């Protein structure tokens, strides 16, 4: 018995032939590409952070920018970044969720709604500068308020609205119809089903969408340059909606291209590090509710 | 036995297609009624008219009358939410919410305004006991319902339906996705529940209909061919088509 099993190939031995070779080639290829991409991203991060990160100081994060001398900070720009991000999300999340839920749950199935859907899809890939021009048309030309935080935030919200709408609609549609039926059959109203089943189940997708637009809003420059300007009010904690609202991303562009301060290079490096750090942080922070939600619903 | 559901000259159309043709019948209270018939003959459709789940299918049109406990359920002053609270439904595939077992069963009572923890605890326990699941899950109420087996999930869905306090329980092929032992458990469960609830079940399994039901309704192409006491229908059908079907000559 024993020597037979040693000499004869096992019935469950390795599969041979072309399909097995292709399978291994493909697996190897996917691993190779995956590792290359990861290395590339890590390398990029290292390159960007390595120059700025060691030189970061609290003074830089907090300090006021300077036009001529060395040693200016990014305080107001950083503050504006968060302020504009917060305002734009406060506008776009409720509207985007509402529109997405409408399209998924209430919209009648006709040509008109089909057209709306195509428009939303189209708008979500329109270059951001178009939304900047739109912001100028409204805030600078129509309301004559000039370049303001408010104008920047609203324009950013418009930029993100189509993406949020689409993501919400798709996540809600992806909820299995059996779950909806279960809820309705227990005597729930449409609103109760949306609140207690559809949104919690779709939350993963919706939060991913919010992460996406939050990161984009934080790093957006074209819209802000056109609608909120390339200057700040020059003081910290300025909550005035009508102050000029240069954000960190714009500041980065500004010191790289226009500024005459001698340490522009260094400011740009440090600002880059800060920008990347906060974009990563935003992604982590928005995942917390997901994680909590997952703990409640999974095993 | 007294009739709790009375259906009179019911026609139902999905767009231009007529799925139910002039259906008239009665369902006795606190007993099990089984719907049998070949696939596509309208069993699920009729079942869904009883809790108005058909309302959600676009293009459905209904003629005729359905009375439950003497009240026309398609009249304008009926709230479907209240109707569905009284007429619960269990689906073919177990469909738990991705929430804990407790939250699944408490879902219905919470919808209808019950907030107190103690009250909810009691409802959850008694519903799970009624569905013969309590002993298996009482220590894991906080676990996800998705971690239960298929048969346990289906019994949890029954508990979830019972938790809102219905009078009538509709079961659409509730055992067709289950193994024989789970099926047996649910059949036994139905036997126990029939003392308190009126049960209407769709089944493809004629033995199941013969085993558990008091009254059997035979459908063919959207029509009710025959309905009578289960024993009579299976031993001495009055219509030739019924006899052909139960003796396996078609369908
Ligand atoms: N949403 C719908 N839209 C259009 N037609 C439908 C719809 N649902 C069912 N039908 C049609 O109505 C008829 C009855 O369907 P129903 O689901 O009631 O059959 P059934 O007896 O439950 O069949 P099965 O035993 O296979 O579940 C079928 O011909 C089906 O094609
Ligand atoms: Mg069916």
């Amino acid at each position: 018995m024993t020597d037979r099993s040693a000499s004869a190939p096992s019935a469950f031995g390795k599969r041979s032939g072309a399909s097995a070779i292709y399978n291994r080639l493909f697996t190897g290829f996917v691993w190779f590409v995956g590792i290359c991409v990861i290395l590339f991203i890590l390398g990029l991060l290292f390159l960007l952070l390595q120059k700025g990160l060691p030189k970061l100081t609290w003074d830089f994060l907090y300090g006021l920018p300077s036009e001529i001398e060395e040693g200016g900070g990014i305080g107001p720009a950083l503050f504006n970044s968060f302020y504009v991000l917060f305002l734009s999300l406060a506008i776009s999340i409720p509207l985007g969720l509402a529109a997405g839920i409408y399209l998924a749950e209430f919209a009648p199935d006709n040509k008109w709604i089909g057209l709306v859907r195509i428009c939303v899809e189209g708008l979500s890939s329109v270059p951001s500068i178009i939304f900047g021009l739109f912001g100028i048309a409204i805030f600078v030309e129509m309301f004559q308020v000039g370049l303001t935080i408010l104008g920047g935030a609203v324009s950013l919200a418009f930029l993100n609205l189509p993406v949020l709408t689409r993501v919400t609609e798709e996540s809600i549609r992806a909820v299995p119809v059996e779950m909806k039926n279960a809820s309705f059959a227990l005597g729930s109203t449409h609103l109760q089903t949306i609140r207690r089943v559809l949104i919690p189940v779709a939350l993963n997708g919706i939060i991913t969408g919010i992460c996406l637009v939050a990161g984009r809003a934080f790093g957006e420059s074209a819209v802000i340059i056109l609608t909120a300007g390339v200057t700040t009010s020059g003081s910290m904690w300025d909550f005035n909606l009508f102050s000029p609202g240069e954000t960190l991303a714009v500041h980065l562009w500004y010191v790289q291209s226009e500024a005459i301060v001698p340490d522009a290079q260094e400011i740009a490096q440090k600002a880059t590090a800060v920008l990347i750090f906060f974009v990563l942080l935003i992604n982590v922070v928005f995942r917390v509710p997901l994680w909590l939600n997952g703990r409640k619903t999974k095993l | 036995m007294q009739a709790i559901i009375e259906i009179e000259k019911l026609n139902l159309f999905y767009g231009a297609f007529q799925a139910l043709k002039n259906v008239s019948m009665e369902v006795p209270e606190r007993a099990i009624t089984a719907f049998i018939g070949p696939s596509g003959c309208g069993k699920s459709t009729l079942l869904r008219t009883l809790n108005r789940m058909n309302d959600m299918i676009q293009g459905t049109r209904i003629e005729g009358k359905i009375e439950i406990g003497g009240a026309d359920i398609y009249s304008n002053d009926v709230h479907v939410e209240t109707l569905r609270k009284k007429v619960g439904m269990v689906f073919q595939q177990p469909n738990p919410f991705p929430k804990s077992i407790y939250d699944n069963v408490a879902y219905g009572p919470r919808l209808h305004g019950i907030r107190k923890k103690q009250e909810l605890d009691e409802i959850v326990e008694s519903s799970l006991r009624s569905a013969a699941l309590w002993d298996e899950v009482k220590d894991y109420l906080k676990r996800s319902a998705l971690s239960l087996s298929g048969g346990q999930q289906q019994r949890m869905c029954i508990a979830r339906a019972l938790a809102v306090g219905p009078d009538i329980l509709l079961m659409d092929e509730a055992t067709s996705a289950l193994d024989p032992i789970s099926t047996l458990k649910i059949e036994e469960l139905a036997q126990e529940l029939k003392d308190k609830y009126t049960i209407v079940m769709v089944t493809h399994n004629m033995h199941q209909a013969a085993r558990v039901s008091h009254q059997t309704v035979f459908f063919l192409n959207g029509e009710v061919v025959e309905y009578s006491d289960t024993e009579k229908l299976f031993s001495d059908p009055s219509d030739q088509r019924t006899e052909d079907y139960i003796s396996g000559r078609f369908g």
Side-chain angles (χ1 to χ4, degrees):
Chain A
M1 279 312 258
T2 30
D3 54 50
R4 208 184 120 217
S5 70
S7 59
S10 157
F12 305 109
K14 228 186 236 163
R15 229 174 122 181
S16 56
S19 63
I21 293 173
Y22 284 142
N23 186 33
R24 289 177 60 185
L25 273 179
F26 180 73
T27 311
F29 175 74
V30 172
W31 268 90
F32 175 74
V33 173
I35 287 174
C36 281
V37 170
I38 290 171
L39 282 181
F40 176 74
I41 292 172
L42 287 181
L44 203 66
L45 272 180
F46 176 76
L47 212 79
L48 291 170
L49 292 177
Q50 153 248 4
K51 285 194 182 140
L53 213 49
K55 293 184 221 152
L56 274 186
T57 57
W58 286 113
D59 285 348
F60 178 73
L61 288 179
Y62 247 66
L64 302 178
S66 112
E67 279 294 331
I68 305 161
E69 285 167 45
E70 277 185 49
I74 54 166
L78 186 58
F79 167 77
N80 279 346
S81 279
F82 280 104
Y83 193 33
V84 169
L85 175 68
F86 172 79
L87 288 175
S88 76
L89 288 182
I91 299 166
S92 59
I93 290 178
L95 291 180
L97 289 195
I101 290 171
Y102 170 78
L103 285 177
E105 281 295 304
F106 296 95
D109 202 5
N110 59 26
K111 280 195 188 128
W112 166 239
I113 293 295
L115 186 69
V116 169
R117 222 168 250 134
I118 292 174
C119 289
V120 170
E121 204 143 307
L123 279 177
S124 51
S125 50
V126 162
S128 61
I129 194 148
I130 305 287
F131 285 89
L133 294 173
F134 177 69
I136 291 190
I138 290 189
F139 289 94
V140 180
E141 280 162 20
M142 212 166 95
F143 293 126
Q144 309 260 344
V145 292
L147 301 173
T148 60
I149 286 180
L150 181 68
V154 172
S155 308
L156 260 191
F158 282 141
L159 171 70
N160 288 333
L161 206 48
V163 179
L164 271 178
T165 304
R166 269 191 61 189
V167 170
T168 307
E169 182 188 355
E170 267 155 39
S171 319
I172 297 247
R173 272 183 194 282
V175 177
V177 69
E178 288 79 16
M179 274 183 211
K180 259 174 84 174
N181 284 341
S183 174
F184 279 119
L186 290 165
S188 83
T189 61
H190 205 160
L191 176 64
Q192 285 173 322
T193 299
I194 291 171
R195 253 196 49 202
R196 293 164 194 238
V197 177
L198 296 186
I199 292 184
V201 176
L203 199 64
N204 214 323
I206 295 176
I207 298 241
T208 306
I210 293 178
C211 264
L212 200 78
V213 299
R216 187 158 97 144
F218 199 82
E220 175 60 37
S221 49
V223 170
I224 302 293
I225 293 172
L226 292 181
T227 57
V230 295
T231 55
T232 65
S233 65
S235 56
M236 266 315 263
W237 309 111
D238 179 5
F239 284 95
N240 186 349
L241 289 176
F242 294 97
S243 299
E246 183 205 43
T247 62
L248 189 57
V250 174
H251 190 64
L252 184 57
W253 167 81
Y254 179 78
V255 292
Q256 272 288 13
S257 59
E258 310 267 302
I260 48 169
V261 283
D263 59 347
Q265 188 75 33
E266 195 187 319
I267 293 178
Q269 287 163 359
K270 290 195 282 192
T272 304
V274 174
L275 197 64
I276 291 176
F277 173 77
F278 279 112
V279 168
L280 292 179
L281 189 71
I282 286 171
N283 275 275
V284 173
V285 167
F286 276 104
R287 302 246 151 218
V288 170
L290 261 193
W291 176 72
L292 290 177
N293 189 46
R295 274 211 333 181
K296 252 185 11 201
T297 58
K298 299 281 149 46
L299 287 177
Chain B
M1 264 182 278
Q2 207 181 334
I4 185 168
I5 305 175
E6 289 173 64
I7 302 170
E8 229 175 273
K9 302 214 177 81
L10 186 76
N11 289 302
L12 186 144
F13 302 84
Y14 291 121
F17 174 74
Q18 183 166 10
L20 292 176
K21 296 169 193 153
N22 203 23
V23 170
S24 295
M25 58 173 284
E26 290 179 353
V27 173
E29 194 171 13
R30 288 170 213 263
I32 300 178
T33 298
F35 289 181
I36 61 168
S39 188
C41 64
K43 306 178 297 288
S44 302
T45 302
L46 183 62
L47 202 68
R48 285 197 305 261
T49 59
L50 300 177
N51 66 347
R52 293 186 54 173
M53 288 294 279
N54 279 328
D55 290 14
M56 283 181 298
I57 302 173
Q58 276 194 8
T60 324
R61 191 159 56 80
I62 283 186
E63 293 166 358
K65 194 150 114 183
I66 300 180
E67 286 187 353
I68 294 184
D72 181 357
I73 61 168
Y74 281 90
S75 88
N76 287 328
D77 55 0
V78 166
H79 284 273
V80 281
E81 292 82 24
T82 321
L83 172 71
R84 290 180 189 147
K85 192 170 172 239
K86 286 290 155 202
V87 186
M89 188 168 213
V90 180
F91 296 80
Q92 179 168 2
Q93 296 287 338
N95 52 359
F97 300 122
K99 303 174 187 269
S100 70
I101 297 171
Y102 184 96
D103 287 338
N104 263 277
V105 181
Y107 183 87
R110 281 183 177 140
L111 287 181
H112 300 292
I114 296 174
R115 284 283 125 73
K116 278 210 223 85
K117 172 110 177 48
Q118 197 195 345
E119 209 176 331
L120 285 173
D121 287 351
E122 279 166 20
I123 294 176
V124 169
E125 179 172 346
S126 68
S127 307
L128 284 169
R129 276 189 196 283
S130 301
L133 190 61
W134 175 252
D135 291 330
E136 287 161 67
V137 302
K138 61 175 183 246
D139 299 325
Y140 312 106
L141 293 177
K142 292 269 168 282
R143 272 217 208 156
S144 167
L146 301 177
S147 66
L148 297 173
S149 77
Q152 289 174 324
Q153 286 186 9
Q154 194 63 304
R155 277 180 286 148
M156 192 210 69
C157 291
I158 294 176
R160 189 174 64 185
L162 296 179
V164 294
D167 298 327
I168 299 171
L169 199 57
L170 311 174
M171 303 170 84
D172 192 350
E173 296 182 47
T175 60
S176 68
L178 304 181
D179 66 287
I181 293 179
S182 307
T183 302
L184 208 65
K185 275 197 178 157
I186 287 182
E187 286 179 13
E188 283 169 11
L189 183 58
Q191 288 297 346
E192 279 164 34
L193 294 175
K194 70 152 195 296
D195 296 333
K196 286 203 223 151
Y197 304 91
T198 303
I199 297 177
V200 184
M201 54 162 54
V202 172
T203 176
H204 266 277
N205 181 337
M206 274 182 280
H207 298 292
Q208 185 172 59
R211 265 197 308 268
V212 302
S213 71
H214 305 99
Q215 175 182 268
T216 301
V217 186
F218 173 58
F219 286 75
L220 197 61
N221 299 328
E223 281 176 86
V224 170
V225 173
E226 181 169 356
Y227 77 98
S228 64
D229 280 0
T230 299
E231 240 167 77
K232 171 161 185 315
L233 189 125
F234 281 102
S235 62
D236 176 25
S238 50
D239 195 295
Q240 183 61 39
R241 291 171 292 176
T242 316
E243 189 171 348
D244 289 348
Y245 183 70
I246 59 179
S247 58
R249 256 168 274 175
F250 75 90

